[in-house]
Amino acid sequence: MKILVINAGSSSLKYQLIDTDNEAVLAKGNCERIGQNGAFIGFKTSDGKKINRKTQMLNHTQAFEAVKNALIDPEYGAISDLSEVSAVGHRVVQGGAYFDKSVLVNNSVINKIRELAPLAPLHNPAHLQGIEACTRVFGPKVPQVAVFDTAFHQTMPEKAFMYAVPYKYYEKFGVRKYGFHGTSHRYVSEKMADLMGRKKEELKLITCHIGNGSSITAVKGGKVIDTTMGLTPLGGFMMGTRSGSLDPSVITFIAEKEHLTPEEMSKILNKESGLLGISGVSSDDRDVCAAEADGNMRAHLAHEMLYYQIAKYIGSYYVALGGCDGIVFTAGIGENQPMLREKVCDYLECLGVKIDKEFNKQATCGVTGTLSTPDSAIRVELIATDEEMVIARDTRAIVEAL
């Protein structure tokens, strides 16, 4: 069964075609600048060639047309006919408390995703555009499945997901912690159980998805008991451009001093803070690393803050879990920044964590494996996340059950 996996953004559309019989990636690519001048689709051929094609993409329907044409291209295509695509799996950021698992897309699901758009205004509307465009291009007979970033986190107890604000705001507007990156946390926690040769139901794990957007999750017995991101992806620790959690009075204080609207304040916290805001260099950790190596003290401070905050959350989740069997690092920075892993694990020495620092330094660019030493009290693993594979697996399971 060939599954097309879609991650639609407001001006982009990423895709992968996965043969779920052997879990091989047959094709992958990205439509960029949808609705803007200079729109193009970039994709890799089966022999590794990179192709960029400029094409008009005024909306997501035209983007899907570009994807369709790339998939069945006579020279570079991965399939000969669209009928080979059995189903489409969509990443959807916000599923609220309604969805605790992946579901077949129907009118009721579409309406719920639309209803939840105020909780993810930059993401859910784009996902809906992707679903609707897919229907127009592939036809209504091709099944579509929604896989939610928030679903894995719906096992959190009330004491973890509630905020200490008047209860009426939870009842009226759904103000609570939802968590994100759930598909990634689910994948690496299950992979960790496999690597340890143990059932997930008997493990206490802390999974660290560290990228431009980052979150840490406590997983007990295969179920989430807490996670760092909250009502929105702004919560938790500092990220590329996001501030992470802070004293709420910081927001009102700055807004009053600078005479800022809520929208302007939100832009500062989401787009101008984090590594970018502290370093003044970039939101890209590679740039911050280069600046730090050149002696930039603000870049150094940004990293010191990040390492400290990550270690604090891991320590707090150690307490929440009542111990820990394994810690996982994953995602762009987690998989490729040895210094971050080393510095965080140095903080965790008090918990008995020991890592092989030489192997850790070599573990970049696809190198994964066990970072901890045999005498470490907690196993530390580097695992490459694969959210697209989770989406493909869920999509296949749902379609086969029809």
Side-chain angles (χ1 to χ4, degrees):
M1 185 181 289
K2 295 182 179 70
I3 305 294
L4 181 62
V5 175
I6 296 295
N7 181 356
S10 58
S11 62
S12 65
L13 191 153
K14 297 178 183 177
Y15 72 91
Q16 284 192 20
L17 183 65
I18 297 174
D19 185 340
T20 55
D21 291 340
N22 57 12
E23 298 199 334
V25 177
L26 304 178
K28 64 189 298 185
N30 192 11
C31 298
E32 296 277 6
R33 300 179 65 84
I34 298 171
Q36 303 172 33
N37 292 328
F40 69 93
I41 180 171
F43 59 92
K44 281 186 178 181
T45 65
S46 58
D47 57 358
K49 292 180 181 176
K50 292 183 179 180
I51 307 294
N52 280 326
R53 285 181 179 166
K54 289 185 178 181
T55 183
Q56 186 178 55
M57 287 185 279
L58 298 178
N59 51 45
H60 284 70
T61 299
Q62 291 185 344
F64 262 99
E65 287 286 351
V67 171
K68 178 189 76 173
N69 292 336
L71 291 174
I72 60 175
D73 185 281
E75 185 176 358
Y76 301 118
I79 55 177
S80 56
D81 192 88
L82 277 189
S83 62
E84 294 181 48
V85 177
S86 302
V88 180
H90 295 267
R91 178 211 179 197
V92 180
V93 165
Q94 179 58 270
Y98 294 112
F99 300 107
D100 61 0
K101 60 181 181 295
S102 303
V103 296
L104 185 71
V105 172
N106 55 32
N107 287 335
S108 175
V109 170
I110 288 172
N111 288 335
K112 284 296 184 185
I113 295 172
R114 184 174 290 111
E115 182 183 321
L116 292 163
L119 295 174
L122 297 179
H123 295 93
N124 275 31
H127 301 321
L128 286 172
Q129 290 177 35
I131 291 169
E132 292 163 358
C134 183
T135 302
R136 286 193 288 270
V137 174
F138 284 82
K141 292 185 178 180
V142 176
Q144 299 184 63
V145 170
V147 181
F148 299 92
D149 276 13
T150 50
F152 187 51
H153 298 299
Q154 293 311 299
T155 54
M156 278 189 291
E158 284 184 307
K159 65 181 180 181
F161 72 66
M162 287 297 295
Y163 292 122
V165 296
Y167 195 81
K168 65 181 179 181
Y169 296 120
Y170 170 61
E171 296 176 308
K172 290 173 68 175
F173 307 122
V175 174
R176 52 157 285 184
K177 177 186 286 190
Y178 290 103
F180 298 90
H181 299 135
T183 309
S184 175
H185 289 294
R186 175 180 153 200
Y187 176 84
V188 298
S189 61
E190 291 177 354
K191 182 72 172 179
M192 183 66 162
D194 290 342
L195 292 171
M196 295 178 75
R198 296 173 65 182
K199 296 179 180 178
K200 64 182 181 181
E201 289 77 13
E202 62 187 30
L203 290 173
K204 300 172 182 178
L205 303 175
I206 299 172
T207 54
C208 305
H209 178 108
I210 315 294
N212 194 260
S214 305
S215 61
I216 298 173
T217 295
V219 184
K220 187 174 186 178
K223 296 181 178 180
V224 174
I225 65 164
D226 209 344
T227 191
T228 54
M229 283 183 168
L231 173 72
T232 72
L234 185 59
F237 52 97
M238 63 187 290
M239 307 172 216
T241 61
R242 296 178 185 138
S243 66
S245 300
L246 38 71
D247 178 349
S249 292
V250 171
I251 301 169
T252 54
F253 182 83
I254 294 174
E256 288 172 358
K257 291 291 185 182
E258 298 282 4
H259 307 291
L260 301 173
T261 65
E263 291 77 14
E264 289 169 333
M265 196 67 233
S266 178
K267 181 184 177 185
I268 290 171
L269 297 174
N270 280 283
K271 301 293 186 181
E272 300 172 10
S273 300
L275 288 176
L276 172 62
I278 297 298
S279 72
V281 173
S282 173
S283 63
D284 190 313
D285 189 65
R286 291 166 294 190
D287 297 335
V288 180
C289 285
E292 183 179 18
D294 286 340
N296 186 311
M297 293 308 297
R298 281 177 54 184
H300 175 71
L301 173 61
H303 275 147
E304 289 296 299
M305 291 171 65
L306 178 62
Y307 307 153
Y308 176 65
Q309 290 179 19
I310 291 172
K312 273 205 306 182
Y313 271 111
I314 292 174
S316 69
Y317 286 170
Y318 181 94
V319 173
L321 288 165
C324 180
D325 299 300
I327 297 169
V328 178
F329 287 97
T330 193
I333 297 175
E335 293 173 30
N336 293 291
Q337 225 279 41
M339 184 58 69
L340 177 141
R341 297 190 300 259
E342 179 178 328
K343 291 291 187 179
V344 169
C345 288
D346 283 347
Y347 277 112
L348 303 178
E349 284 185 355
C350 60
L351 301 179
V353 170
K354 299 179 183 179
I355 65 166
D356 181 339
K357 294 190 175 183
E358 286 306 311
F359 174 70
N360 178 59
K361 289 177 183 177
Q362 301 166 19
T364 61
C365 302
V367 177
T368 60
T370 304
L371 300 173
S372 52
T373 59
D375 60 338
S376 177
I378 301 172
R379 180 162 170 172
V380 182
E381 198 78 18
L382 175 58
I383 299 175
T385 193
D386 196 341
E387 296 164 275
E388 289 79 13
M389 194 60 69
V390 173
I391 294 171
R393 290 171 182 171
D394 278 11
T395 301
R396 175 173 179 149
I398 288 172
V399 171
E400 286 185 332
L402 294 177

